[in-house]
Amino acid sequence: MIALHGIHQTYAGPQGPVHALRGIDLEVRAGEIFGVIGRSGAGKSSLVRTINLLNRPTQGRVLVNGQELTALNGAGLRAARRDIGMVFQHFNLLSSRTVYDNVALPLELAGATRGEIRARVLPLLELVGLQALADRYPAQVSGGQKQRVGIARALASRPRVLLSDEATSALDPETTRSILALLLQIQRELGLTVVLITHQMQVIKQVAQRLAVMEAGQIVEQGETLQVFHQPAHEVTQRLLDDVVPRELPAPVLARVRALLGDQPTPDARLLRLVFAGRGAEQPLLSDLVRRFGLDLNIVHGQIDEVQGHPFGTLAVLAHGQAPQREAALGHLRDAGVRVEEVACA
């Protein structure tokens, strides 16, 4: 549905050229929610704005639904953009227009009749749960409701692609969850392709089937969301994942481990961090380690979550056993799809 080939974006800055995007190649499949994540300044917003050519790339090609947007200008580009809706971080609503009129605006600009506008706007307000607020002004509704207006407005022209640029970053956690649930509902009911820009792995975890990680204008990692959570390949990705599943164990946990080991730690004890995902989280692996390999295990820390409907979690265990049995047990875990890391507890 979306293909970016060799995208570069360079801006003129006070200190010289700013290279916002550096050789981006990316494909987004039809009907998926694709997340793009990175810290501030990574190039996420520059990337998403090249998809609808709000920012025309300095170099490269942008294709949406098989049409090359970078080859279009004027009326052709305006027509192509009707297939691409966009939701913004700060809502961008017109304060002098009601909720209804804000949603109607794209249709008015396209020359739709009053009857056509009403037939389109009322179902959209029902879809986003705002039919009772149609006559209110933006100042009279909450932040989450403003974003729902923005989503309805973005859907007014019946787009096939929806771009979301940090649409939840100004919202509280509960409202964020409700907006993400709405985006999932819309994607499923309307069959949209959604590109979701965010700096929060919590957002990616809840809705994105696949993701790309950006740093300094480049994509440093991409793949299926569960796989990236389970086996991050780049340090930038791991730092972002620390917001959801921290690598470092809390100091009180390490203190408890040192207390369990005592003043004379045994060479047969190892503190292990086990990362489970998918099938590895559904097997009785710890009991296998005890029964088959004769290890003694103390669970000292852990958390279980879900990524795209699949279990995902980590456990920190203090494993006691002789080296051959311990190494065989770790091989068994890895064969079962569990990531194993040894943690220093000194």
Side-chain angles (χ1 to χ4, degrees):
M1 175 59 76
I2 299 169
L4 307 180
H5 300 296
I7 297 296
H8 290 260
Q9 182 73 64
T10 303
Y11 303 106
Q15 309 284 321
V18 176
H19 301 284
L21 299 174
R22 303 168 182 263
I24 297 292
D25 292 302
L26 182 66
E27 291 195 5
V28 179
R29 302 166 186 160
E32 74 174 340
I33 298 181
F34 190 95
V36 179
I37 187 167
R39 300 296 188 191
S40 296
K44 308 183 300 299
S45 291
S46 293
L47 174 62
V48 76
R49 288 167 179 266
T50 64
I51 295 175
N52 57 6
L53 261 61
L54 284 180
N55 289 350
R56 185 175 284 270
T58 309
Q59 181 181 331
R61 300 167 63 230
V62 177
L63 292 90
V64 177
N65 196 28
Q67 186 175 31
E68 185 178 347
L69 269 58
T70 38
L72 301 176
N73 285 293
L77 181 56
R78 289 193 294 273
R81 281 176 174 156
R82 293 191 191 110
D83 272 345
I84 308 172
M86 190 161 187
V87 185
F88 301 90
Q89 176 181 359
H90 297 297
F91 319 129
N92 290 357
L93 304 181
L94 297 178
S95 60
S96 61
R97 296 176 68 100
T98 64
V99 165
Y100 179 100
D101 290 334
N102 267 284
V103 177
L105 181 60
L107 300 171
E108 292 177 13
L109 296 175
T113 67
R114 183 175 297 182
E116 290 169 338
I117 291 172
R118 183 176 180 82
R120 181 60 179 156
V121 171
L122 291 181
L124 283 173
L125 291 177
E126 183 175 358
L127 177 65
V128 300
L130 294 179
Q131 60 269 42
L133 305 180
D135 295 328
R136 295 194 184 179
Y137 289 88
Q140 298 172 315
V141 300
S142 69
Q145 290 165 340
K146 287 185 178 75
Q147 196 55 283
R148 287 171 180 266
V149 177
I151 291 170
R153 180 184 58 191
L155 297 174
S157 61
R158 293 186 171 89
R160 302 182 65 175
V161 172
L162 183 64
L163 308 178
S164 171
D165 188 7
E166 296 278 13
T168 61
S169 64
L171 305 175
D172 63 77
E174 182 177 354
T175 305
T176 292
R177 287 191 293 271
S178 72
I179 293 297
L180 293 177
L182 175 62
L183 288 175
L184 271 173
Q185 176 192 347
I186 289 168
Q187 184 261 339
R188 289 167 179 163
E189 292 185 8
L190 304 182
L192 294 178
T193 301
V194 180
V195 179
L196 186 73
I197 302 297
T198 182
H199 63 277
Q200 299 170 303
M201 271 295 187
Q202 285 285 359
V203 169
I204 294 289
K205 174 178 73 70
Q206 291 180 60
V207 296
Q209 285 99 24
R210 294 194 303 135
L211 74 135
V213 180
M214 292 195 68
E215 175 74 1
Q218 296 179 304
I219 293 175
V220 297
E221 183 168 0
Q222 60 179 304
E224 303 290 333
T225 299
L226 183 63
Q227 179 61 28
V228 171
F229 268 66
H230 185 217
Q231 296 281 0
H234 198 281
E235 177 62 23
V236 169
T237 309
Q238 184 58 74
R239 290 202 304 269
L240 290 164
L241 281 170
D242 280 345
D243 294 339
V244 179
V245 187
R247 279 173 295 182
E248 301 297 327
L249 293 175
V253 172
L254 293 175
R256 287 200 303 273
V257 170
R258 287 192 287 268
L260 287 169
L261 292 174
D263 295 332
Q264 298 290 331
T266 169
D268 291 332
R270 293 291 186 274
L271 179 59
L272 306 173
R273 182 174 181 265
L274 311 179
V275 184
F276 299 81
R279 66 185 182 92
E282 297 168 349
Q283 301 178 57
L285 294 173
L286 294 187
S287 59
D288 275 356
L289 301 191
V290 175
R291 183 176 62 252
R292 295 176 57 179
F293 302 99
L295 297 188
D296 290 327
L297 303 175
N298 292 84
I299 298 175
V300 296
H301 189 260
Q303 63 184 92
I304 298 293
D305 207 331
E306 277 200 356
V307 176
Q308 287 296 300
H310 299 284
F312 173 84
T314 64
L315 283 177
V317 299
L318 190 59
H320 299 265
Q322 294 183 354
Q325 286 76 18
R326 191 174 62 247
E327 291 306 313
L330 298 188
H332 176 66
L333 287 172
R334 293 186 178 106
D335 289 343
V338 177
R339 192 168 96 237
V340 182
E341 303 167 353
E342 187 164 337
V343 180
C345 56

